[in-house]
Amino acid sequence: MAKMIKITLTKSTIGASPKQKKVVEALGLKKMHQTVEMADTPQTRGAVAKVSHLVTVEEA
């Protein structure tokens, strides 16, 4: 099984650019403090890097 990471939306997307809002939504995050568990792939890490100021990442 692939390694997993937990991604939590810790800051609001109000004031974020439309591209950043789409990235957050693509990660499956809709509400503040919502956590999703995703596979640790380069694609996921790249999406997280784009919105690193809005999310917190933990190794699962």
Side-chain angles (χ1 to χ4, degrees), residues 11-22 24 51 53-54:
K11 293 200 175 182
S12 175
T13 57
I14 295 173
S17 71
K19 281 187 178 182
Q20 290 171 342
K21 289 181 183 182
K22 286 182 182 180
V24 168
V51 291
H53 59 290
L54 301 174

Side-chain angles (χ1 to χ4, degrees), residues 43-58:
Q43 294 82 6
T44 304
R45 287 289 183 167
V48 168
K50 293 284 185 185
V51 291
S52 61
H53 59 290
L54 301 174
V55 299
T56 302
V57 180
E58 300 173 25

Side-chain angles (χ1 to χ4, degrees), residues 1-4 37 39:
M1 185 172 174
K3 292 180 79 175
M4 301 295 278
E37 201 165 313

Side-chain angles (χ1 to χ4, degrees), residues 5-10 27-38 56 58:
I5 55 173
K6 287 184 180 181
I7 306 165
T8 305
L9 184 61
T10 54
L27 287 170
L29 300 167
K30 296 179 174 142
K31 297 182 177 183
M32 289 282 298
H33 306 291
Q34 180 182 3
T35 301
V36 294
E37 201 165 313
M38 300 188 78
T56 302
E58 300 173 25

